[in-house]
Amino acid sequence: MKDAAKFKLKLRASDLNVLLVLVIFAASLYMYASGAFSYPFLENDDPWGHASGAKYIAVEKTFAQSDFRLFQYMNPYPPTYDFIFGLMNQIDPHLQWIMKFFNALIISLSSVYFYFFAKEFTGNRNKALFATAVLASIPAYLSHFIWAPALAMVMFFPALYTLEMIKHGKKWKLAAAVAIGGLLVSHPTHTLTLFAMIAAYLLIKILATKDFKSYFVAGVGGVLTSLVWWGPHGKGFFGANINTGLAAEAVQRVQLESGGIIAKLTSGLLKVFNKWSGTASRPYTFSDFFVAKGQNLINNPVGIGAVAFALFMFGLVAAPILRVKRMSMGKKIGLIAGFLLIMLFTALFKSQSMLMLIAVYSAIMILILFFTKSWKENDWLF
């Protein structure tokens, strides 16, 4: 009986990593929640708009409305964020407390989601822990500001995790389709950027694993799943917003010079890639990324800081270098110098050069892939 009563607590290295991630989560939750509750009101029209939508859902028990102008972030705007708060408001009447606390909770949980994705992504739990610590410490990652893009950012990591788990079992492609579909209905525009990143991930995975079916089903299945909402509501949202914003003059010019679907597609691209179309409503400069500002924008801090930016640059350079081990030292130095020149070019110009940087870097990586034929070996680097 004595042996049966003994209780031994065995702590493995992997368990210790998870405990440290939970510490990061708790510190993050404290930071975001204390910031949100440091004053008794909501910041501006974005949180108030979500509050009115959540209250409507809680009271009416539906997100259907006769006029889309009644609520800022409701039909045809995907009401996922408001639905979460509205559902909880049916249990607890204190809507403002619900929004502040659970928005902070959603943001903080992203560290946990990111760790488990990064562990599978790199195949190394220590690298994943380090990456999680860096992500949580970046000033410009997220803020306590109550706005639907926070939900989109958080849902990005479970979507990537399910995609990464396909290598352990083909049935994960169905979970990935649901996760991607959920991501695509969490926000109308920020998810386009996140889905573009997922599309690049899918392409590399298909080339590396030759498993076209699983990743194709996951990607296309996610898009089809999102049509449950965007099918009946997409035209109402994008049709109402396609000609708004600071790119209106360019949109009108395109419509005059062409017609039909081409005009709509071109005008949409002009609006998305216009240099004034960011959430700051102005062109971004190098300092917006490199320097962590002491003064926040209303919705988010600005700048990831010099240390995180240096790690980012090092990673960009290291990724191709690690794949060209057989190259001579002179060629490796030349490759490093080329990357540094690209970074310098980006720093000297404004946001237009970012697309050029992405294009040049992608071209170099593709060339390295073809010359080294190393799709399968450490495909996460690509």
Side-chain angles (χ1 to χ4, degrees):
M1 291 297 293
K2 281 186 176 182
D3 293 335
K6 287 182 179 180
F7 176 75
K8 290 184 179 180
L9 179 63
K10 292 183 179 180
L11 189 65
R12 298 173 298 179
S14 58
D15 298 327
L16 180 60
N17 280 26
V18 173
L19 286 175
L20 291 173
V21 169
L22 292 178
V23 171
I24 293 173
F25 157 75
S28 177
L29 178 59
Y30 173 78
M31 176 181 65
Y32 290 121
S34 61
F37 286 105
S38 62
Y39 45 82
F41 45 81
L42 298 175
E43 287 90 345
N44 74 342
D45 64 311
D46 292 304
W48 280 110
H50 286 300
S52 61
K55 179 59 70 174
Y56 177 83
I57 292 172
V59 174
E60 299 296 332
K61 298 177 177 58
T62 179
F63 46 73
Q65 54 179 328
S66 58
D67 189 340
F68 72 88
R69 292 170 294 185
L70 293 175
F71 297 98
Q72 186 177 5
Y73 295 119
M74 289 273 285
N75 182 1
Y77 190 103
T80 310
Y81 193 59
D82 291 358
F83 176 79
I84 294 172
F85 295 141
L87 198 63
M88 290 187 287
N89 191 218
Q90 293 177 353
I91 303 171
D92 189 309
H94 302 95
L95 178 59
Q96 186 164 308
W97 187 93
I98 287 172
M99 293 182 66
K100 287 189 173 188
F101 177 79
F102 283 98
N103 180 70
L105 179 65
I106 288 170
I107 291 171
S108 302
L109 281 172
S110 65
S111 298
V112 180
Y113 300 149
F114 175 78
Y115 168 76
F116 286 103
F117 156 67
K119 183 168 69 74
E120 292 294 332
F121 187 58
T122 63
N124 188 304
R125 61 176 180 269
N126 294 324
K127 289 178 181 178
L129 178 62
F130 177 74
T132 303
V134 172
L135 177 67
S137 66
I138 290 176
Y141 172 53
L142 285 171
S143 78
H144 69 264
F145 190 81
I146 301 171
W147 199 23
L151 179 63
M153 283 296 301
V154 172
M155 293 187 69
F156 180 56
F157 299 128
L160 288 176
Y161 174 76
T162 54
L163 286 171
E164 192 63 33
M165 291 299 288
I166 290 176
K167 65 189 178 188
H168 298 301
K170 303 301 182 185
K171 290 183 179 180
W172 276 97
K173 64 178 179 287
L174 302 178
V178 174
I180 293 172
L183 167 67
L184 292 176
V185 297
S186 61
H187 192 272
T189 56
H190 285 67
T191 49
L192 296 177
T193 304
L194 298 174
F195 184 74
M197 297 170 70
I198 287 176
Y201 172 95
L202 289 171
L203 175 62
I204 292 172
K205 277 295 183 180
I206 289 172
L207 292 170
T209 65
K210 301 296 188 295
D211 187 2
F212 175 81
K213 181 179 178 181
S214 294
Y215 294 102
F216 179 81
V217 169
V220 174
V223 173
L224 293 177
T225 302
S226 73
L227 292 180
V228 172
W229 174 261
W230 288 119
H233 300 102
K235 184 178 179 180
F237 178 83
F238 292 101
N241 288 277
I242 198 69
N243 292 329
T244 61
L246 295 170
E249 183 179 345
V251 170
Q252 292 173 359
R253 184 173 68 252
V254 170
Q255 290 179 334
L256 288 173
E257 294 172 356
S258 59
I261 185 103
I262 296 177
K264 292 182 179 179
L265 289 173
T266 308
S267 63
L269 288 172
L270 283 170
K271 183 175 185 296
V272 170
F273 290 107
N274 187 277
K275 64 182 180 180
W276 287 284
S277 63
T279 52
S281 300
R282 61 169 173 76
Y284 290 100
T285 63
F286 177 77
S287 65
D288 287 319
F289 299 94
F290 182 74
V291 181
K293 304 293 192 299
Q295 177 66 46
N296 294 351
L297 297 179
I298 189 171
N299 62 333
N300 218 54
V302 179
I304 66 174
V307 174
F309 197 89
L311 288 171
F312 166 66
M313 291 299 185
F314 177 79
L316 287 179
V317 175
I321 295 298
L322 291 173
R323 295 297 93 218
V324 290
K325 294 178 180 178
R326 294 180 181 179
M327 290 177 62
S328 65
M329 183 57 66
K331 290 182 179 180
K332 289 181 180 179
I333 293 173
L335 189 59
I336 294 173
F339 274 115
L340 292 176
L341 286 174
I342 292 173
M343 304 309 165
L344 178 63
F345 179 82
T346 304
L348 294 176
F349 291 87
K350 295 186 184 292
S351 60
Q352 298 96 321
S353 62
M354 291 301 294
L355 289 176
M356 184 177 295
L357 168 65
I358 294 170
V360 172
Y361 186 87
S362 300
I364 292 173
M365 291 297 283
I366 290 171
L367 285 174
I368 291 173
L369 283 173
F370 279 107
F371 282 119
T372 61
K373 295 181 174 60
S374 56
W375 289 105
K376 291 184 179 180
E377 186 182 357
N378 296 96
D379 61 340
W380 66 275
L381 286 169
F382 300 106

